[in-house]
Amino acid sequence: MFAALLIIGCSGPAETTPVEDCHSDIPPIGQVWAKRVSCLAEIPENGEGTINDWLLVNAYTRLIVRDATHRLTRLSGTGGTIIDASSSIGEDGVTELQPLIQGGWPISGEMYAENGQVILEGQQENGDTVTIQYKLDPLAAQLYVDG
């Protein structure tokens, strides 16, 4: 029994992310990168982010948004909260930030990156659908949240 558990415990995911998908560097001024976290170097020092969370970074700010299937400090609902925030090369300065939205935080959802944004499409407890978009200003350390 122990050997079987050891083998299962050591088997990792079948898919691996190519090294070139890792964006630990800083984008040029005027650009925003939004993508799934593919390596630990993308996460700010002392951050809570993990592989498969979502990276949003410009020349001034690096944010990690928790993947929709996981939670950090919340007892219910889905992910989609900001769990790491730093300057582009600094240490994480937050534990978790959650926007307040009418109808409450989604209980389930899906996330993706598109057009320099990280987007959560979720279902609230009352059945309503909500879309939350995180977008960094390409020329400043400003985050816009719409939804």
Side-chain angles (χ1 to χ4, degrees), residues 22-33:
C22 182
H23 290 302
S24 60
D25 49 345
I26 300 169
I29 293 174
Q31 288 188 17
V32 174
W33 295 339

Side-chain angles (χ1 to χ4, degrees), residues 127-147:
D128 288 347
T129 300
V130 63
T131 300
I132 302 166
Q133 299 168 311
Y134 297 98
K135 183 176 183 176
L136 275 176
D137 185 319
L139 300 173
Q142 292 182 305
L143 173 67
Y144 300 94
V145 180
D146 188 22

Side-chain angles (χ1 to χ4, degrees), residues 47-100:
E48 289 81 23
T50 61
I51 304 295
N52 292 325
D53 284 332
W54 295 89
L55 171 68
L56 190 59
V57 62
N58 66 13
Y60 311 100
T61 305
R62 180 175 297 268
L63 302 172
I64 303 292
V65 180
R66 177 62 85 194
D67 190 40
T69 59
H70 298 88
R71 296 184 298 274
L72 184 62
T73 62
R74 299 182 40 75
L75 297 177
S76 63
T78 190
T81 57
I82 298 169
I83 56 170
D84 295 326
S86 71
S87 70
S88 292
I89 58 170
E91 290 186 34
D92 175 37
V94 303
T95 299
E96 187 170 32
L97 301 172
Q98 173 189 328
L100 296 176

Side-chain angles (χ1 to χ4, degrees), residues 99-123:
L100 296 176
I101 57 172
Q102 188 170 356
W105 195 253
I107 58 171
S108 65
E110 305 241 348
M111 294 187 72
Y112 57 95
E114 181 178 87
N115 297 326
Q117 300 177 69
V118 172
I119 301 168
L120 166 65
E121 291 183 351
Q123 291 283 349

Side-chain angles (χ1 to χ4, degrees), residues 21-46:
D21 286 344
C22 182
H23 290 302
S24 60
D25 49 345
I26 300 169
I29 293 174
Q31 288 188 17
V32 174
W33 295 339
K35 64 179 277 303
R36 191 177 281 276
V37 173
S38 61
C39 66
L40 295 178
E42 293 174 329
I43 299 168
E45 187 176 336
N46 297 322

